Amino acid sequence: MAKSRNGLTAVGLSVLGAFLVLLAFATKSWLVTDGKLEHPKFERIGLWVVCFKEFEDSHHWYDTKFHNCWWVFEEEYYIIHDILFKGFYIATQFWFSTCVLLTLFGLFYSTIYMYQNRSFESYIKILFRAGMFYIAAAVCSTIALIIFGKDGDSRVWMPNWEHNDIGWSYGVAVAGTIALYVSGVLYVIEGRALKIKRQKMATQRANYNYGGDDSKQSSHANI
């Protein structure tokens, strides 16, 4: 079950990338206030949690103020549903959730790769599948990051937009995405190298058998 250095590097990066992606997925600092306002109405938001302080409906249709950190799908948020759930935010949630799901599939194949012997017929397929899942996850994450990076701190979303900055959770997601890209490519390279090696061994075996048959035929002819 000994693994190559390339394979072990791929596993290490995939685990790191998965950890960072899951951390970004669960934390609430994709967009944060810069702290320069004395009484900011908005503090921070992640993909699933938003933190307000004395925030109220900008349309002034309801006399309600929001405090503390709540789940974005909290029932009380129906009042500001049109403010909170902009199209780009929903798209970011979708693409990054897809990234997390694909990453979990990739971890499943990484686990099989670590415990399976390379002599198994499906060994190469496992490497390719792990690589493809991680690359697909990285692509989905890239789409989410581009969408949020473009519109996250725009003036059409959270209040005091000029004091809002992309937060550390976004940076963690970027780092995780890079790790997933690299690990996916390494898995594919490892699978490709083993496939070529097996093909060469099969060719050598066939040539050896063919040469052995010729020797036998030559011996029979001499007799």
Side-chain angles (χ1 to χ4, degrees):
M1 294 201 306
K3 309 300 178 185
S4 68
R5 182 179 298 178
N6 183 72
L8 291 175
T9 302
V11 172
L13 284 174
S14 62
V15 172
L16 175 63
F19 171 75
L20 294 175
V21 162
L22 290 172
L23 181 63
F25 185 74
T27 51
K28 53 193 177 187
S29 294
W30 280 62
L31 184 71
V32 299
T33 183
D34 61 9
K36 295 179 180 180
L37 282 177
E38 187 175 351
H39 300 291
K41 294 182 178 180
F42 162 76
E43 292 184 338
R44 65 186 65 245
I45 189 171
L47 296 182
W48 313 109
V49 176
V50 60
C51 301
F52 290 127
K53 191 173 183 180
E54 300 292 328
F55 181 81
E56 55 186 339
D57 171 27
S58 59
H59 303 302
H60 302 291
W61 293 338
Y62 303 91
D63 187 20
T64 302
K65 293 185 178 181
F66 299 99
H67 311 271
N68 301 322
C69 299
W70 287 5
W71 187 42
V72 293
F73 296 109
E74 194 71 33
E75 184 178 356
E76 285 81 356
Y77 278 155
Y78 79 92
I79 296 174
I80 56 172
H81 188 274
D82 60 327
I83 300 172
L84 182 60
F85 289 100
K86 298 294 185 181
F88 78 89
Y89 183 59
I90 296 173
T92 302
Q93 290 176 317
F94 171 78
W95 285 109
F96 206 77
S97 297
T98 304
C99 164
V100 169
L101 182 61
L102 292 171
T103 300
L104 294 177
F105 279 119
L107 286 175
F108 171 74
Y109 281 104
S110 293
T111 304
I112 296 177
Y113 163 69
M114 286 299 296
Y115 288 98
Q116 192 174 65
N117 194 296
R118 67 169 60 197
S119 62
F120 280 36
E121 189 66 29
S122 60
Y123 191 80
I124 294 175
K125 290 182 180 179
I126 289 170
L127 283 168
F128 279 121
R129 287 173 183 173
M132 289 299 102
F133 273 121
Y134 287 128
I135 292 173
V139 169
C140 290
S141 177
T142 300
I143 295 172
L145 291 170
I146 290 174
I147 292 173
F148 193 86
K150 177 178 177 293
D151 295 317
D153 59 350
S154 65
R155 67 177 66 201
V156 299
W157 198 28
M158 290 295 116
N160 304 120
W161 62 271
E162 67 276 11
H163 290 284
N164 298 333
D165 297 321
I166 297 297
W168 65 265
S169 296
Y170 183 92
V172 168
V174 171
T177 300
I178 294 173
L180 291 181
Y181 268 123
V182 177
S183 67
V185 171
L186 289 177
Y187 275 113
V188 172
I189 291 174
E190 181 72 4
R192 180 64 178 167
L194 286 175
K195 184 177 181 180
I196 293 173
K197 186 176 180 179
R198 283 190 180 182
Q199 288 174 344
K200 287 182 178 179
M201 291 176 63
T203 302
Q204 291 174 355
R205 193 177 299 114
N207 290 337
Y208 175 78
N209 292 334
Y210 180 75
D213 292 340
D214 286 347
S215 298
K216 292 178 181 178
Q217 291 175 5
S218 177
S219 298
H220 286 304
N222 291 334
I223 293 172

